[in-house]
Amino acid sequence: MAVTIETRGSEIRDTFLAKMAETFDAQAVERKARCWDWIFNPPLGPEAPAVSVLTAWREDRFVGGSITGVSAYMVRGERCYFLSPYGTNIDPKERGLGISLIKAFYTGPHRRIGIPIDERFARVNEKYGAHSRPRVQLFAPLRAGSALTRRKPAAAPVTRLGNAVWSAWRGISSLAGPRLKRGETVTDAQDFGVEHDAFWHKAAAHHPFIEVRNSAFMTWRFRHMPIQSYDILQLRREGELRGYVAVGHEVDPQRGTAQVADILTVDDDPRDLALLFRAAADRLEELGAEVAAFGCVPNEALLQAAQMAGFSRSKPTRPAQVYYGSPEDTAFLDEDLRNLYLTRADQDEDY
């Protein structure tokens, strides 16, 4: 009996999670369970496509599926909606089912954006018309003594000393980088409203391809997200909002890393970005992280600013992939992809 692919809504929750529990660890299943209703209610308005689940059935038995999220992007000044696959969940006995789901995902005229599970799926996505843009992870050591002890437990007696020495070195190094001037502040955001929306419109005019980061998105993504708390630090100059950085409170127990989830300034000025990166690293150190990590599609300003703020290591990671379902749009795809601004906040790695 052939597998049937169908689109379902949030009502498939319990069936989807039960199948997920067969191959994923309990923590991953719990995270999806807690985030389920939040995932299905992004603040996009009635004109946006609905979040859905692409499901696979053999007769009446659920054998796999993938959540299809929906995001709003500004592309060349126009608000567009993109579909994103995540939470892919397949019965391992169903050979080739992953390919069938990918093929079904690429059916229809919608724009699509996502991060492949691995290189094999990246190649399959490209076969069906997706174009790729490299991504990197950048790292800033924060607690060298703790990081050393994690790798070499015998170094435990010098953990505190190592942390103290490294913290002092970071402080000295920061003197060579950008520092706040008179009239500049970095403070915690309390909420988002008219002021943030005015900032967002200025930033959007400078970025030809970027996910909408208006006050509704910021509240949904960073205040209402069910399984992690975030601090949003805002840079102001003479009272004017110039940029923000978002840091997650969750520290990876295996690696000691915590994430700079998002960063945005009005005009990608490297100095402004560096001030925010430095503030983010300091906050993550206060939260107990050993290493600050930041994932993005790199551009010159982000890389320069991160280096100025002490992000001294980088490694390539899975690419961002974009697909345009309309032939008229496809003519602009490569040009648009070169302008893509994408950080962890635009992905599903936090949930």
Side-chain angles (χ1 to χ4, degrees):
M1 180 67 69
V3 170
T4 301
I5 307 294
E6 300 178 358
T7 298
R8 298 290 181 91
S10 62
E11 77 284 347
I12 200 72
R13 175 186 185 276
D14 292 346
T15 301
F16 185 94
L17 294 174
K19 177 58 66 178
M20 190 176 178
E22 296 177 11
T23 53
F24 287 79
D25 62 58
Q27 184 180 23
V29 177
E30 182 191 13
R31 291 173 73 89
K32 279 293 181 289
R34 291 176 60 189
C35 285
W36 189 271
D37 291 341
W38 174 80
I39 288 170
F40 276 81
N41 288 283
L44 299 180
E47 73 282 1
V51 178
S52 61
V53 184
L54 200 59
T55 63
W57 304 83
R58 188 175 292 282
E59 296 182 337
D60 59 351
R61 182 170 60 89
F62 178 73
V63 293
S66 178
I67 299 171
T68 302
V70 182
S71 303
Y73 278 76
M74 296 301 296
V75 183
R76 288 171 273 118
E78 178 186 358
R79 184 183 174 104
C80 307
Y81 295 103
F82 282 74
L83 307 185
S84 301
Y86 53 88
T88 302
N89 164 28
I90 297 170
D91 188 327
K93 298 187 294 294
E94 297 290 338
R95 295 179 61 84
L97 180 54
I99 305 300
S100 298
L101 284 172
I102 289 174
K103 184 177 180 180
F105 176 74
Y106 285 113
T107 300
H110 288 294
R111 293 177 170 93
R112 295 162 173 84
I113 189 168
I115 310 296
I117 298 171
D118 54 33
E119 290 185 5
R120 183 171 69 93
F121 279 101
R123 292 193 296 270
V124 174
N125 289 333
E126 289 172 348
K127 176 182 176 182
Y128 285 102
H131 290 213
S132 298
R133 178 81 189 275
R135 289 169 57 242
V136 296
Q137 290 275 1
L138 308 173
F139 302 95
L142 304 176
R143 295 173 177 264
S146 297
L148 177 62
T149 300
R150 184 180 295 277
R151 296 193 302 271
K152 297 181 179 181
V158 298
T159 296
R160 287 189 178 182
L161 176 61
N163 286 342
V165 170
W166 186 258
S167 181
W169 172 249
R170 287 186 65 239
I172 293 170
S173 299
S174 69
L175 297 177
R179 289 178 286 173
L180 292 172
K181 298 178 180 178
R182 184 186 299 273
E184 294 179 333
T185 60
V186 175
T187 56
D188 287 85
Q190 301 305 315
D191 52 26
F192 309 100
V194 174
E195 181 192 35
H196 178 88
D197 284 335
F199 156 80
W200 155 248
H201 287 303
K202 293 177 185 177
H206 183 79
H207 292 86
F209 188 1
I210 184 172
E211 184 169 6
V212 172
R213 286 161 160 79
N214 57 16
S215 58
F217 170 86
M218 297 292 288
T219 301
W220 173 79
R221 180 64 179 83
F222 296 118
R223 297 298 190 227
H224 294 168
M225 202 274 201
I227 61 174
Q228 183 171 187
S229 297
Y230 299 87
D231 291 341
I232 311 297
L233 308 177
Q234 295 177 327
L235 171 65
R236 295 179 181 276
R237 182 171 297 117
E238 304 298 341
E240 179 188 1
L241 179 58
R242 300 294 299 175
Y244 73 85
V245 63
V247 298
H249 287 196
E250 187 174 69
V251 178
D252 186 331
Q254 301 298 320
R255 300 178 178 86
T257 55
Q259 300 290 333
V260 179
D262 194 23
I263 189 168
L264 183 66
T265 60
V266 169
D267 54 7
D268 269 3
D269 179 84
R271 179 179 176 275
D272 288 353
L273 289 165
L275 289 171
L276 287 166
F277 272 127
R278 174 66 68 177
D282 289 346
R283 179 59 56 86
L284 290 177
E285 184 179 10
E286 293 172 7
L287 291 168
E290 297 164 17
V291 178
F294 173 63
C296 66
V297 167
N299 64 41
E300 184 177 349
L302 286 173
L303 295 179
Q304 180 182 347
Q307 185 176 22
M308 293 164 64
F311 285 75
S312 57
R313 296 186 291 119
S314 67
K315 70 173 184 179
T317 185
R318 295 168 296 155
Q321 296 191 304
V322 177
Y323 171 89
Y324 287 173
S326 164
E328 294 79 10
D329 292 333
T330 301
F332 298 96
L333 177 52
D334 286 332
E335 178 184 351
D336 289 343
L337 194 57
R338 285 193 293 271
N339 292 316
L340 175 62
Y341 189 95
L342 183 141
T343 71
R344 189 181 182 91
D346 306 304
Q347 308 163 41
D348 69 325
E349 291 178 309
D350 284 359
Y351 48 93

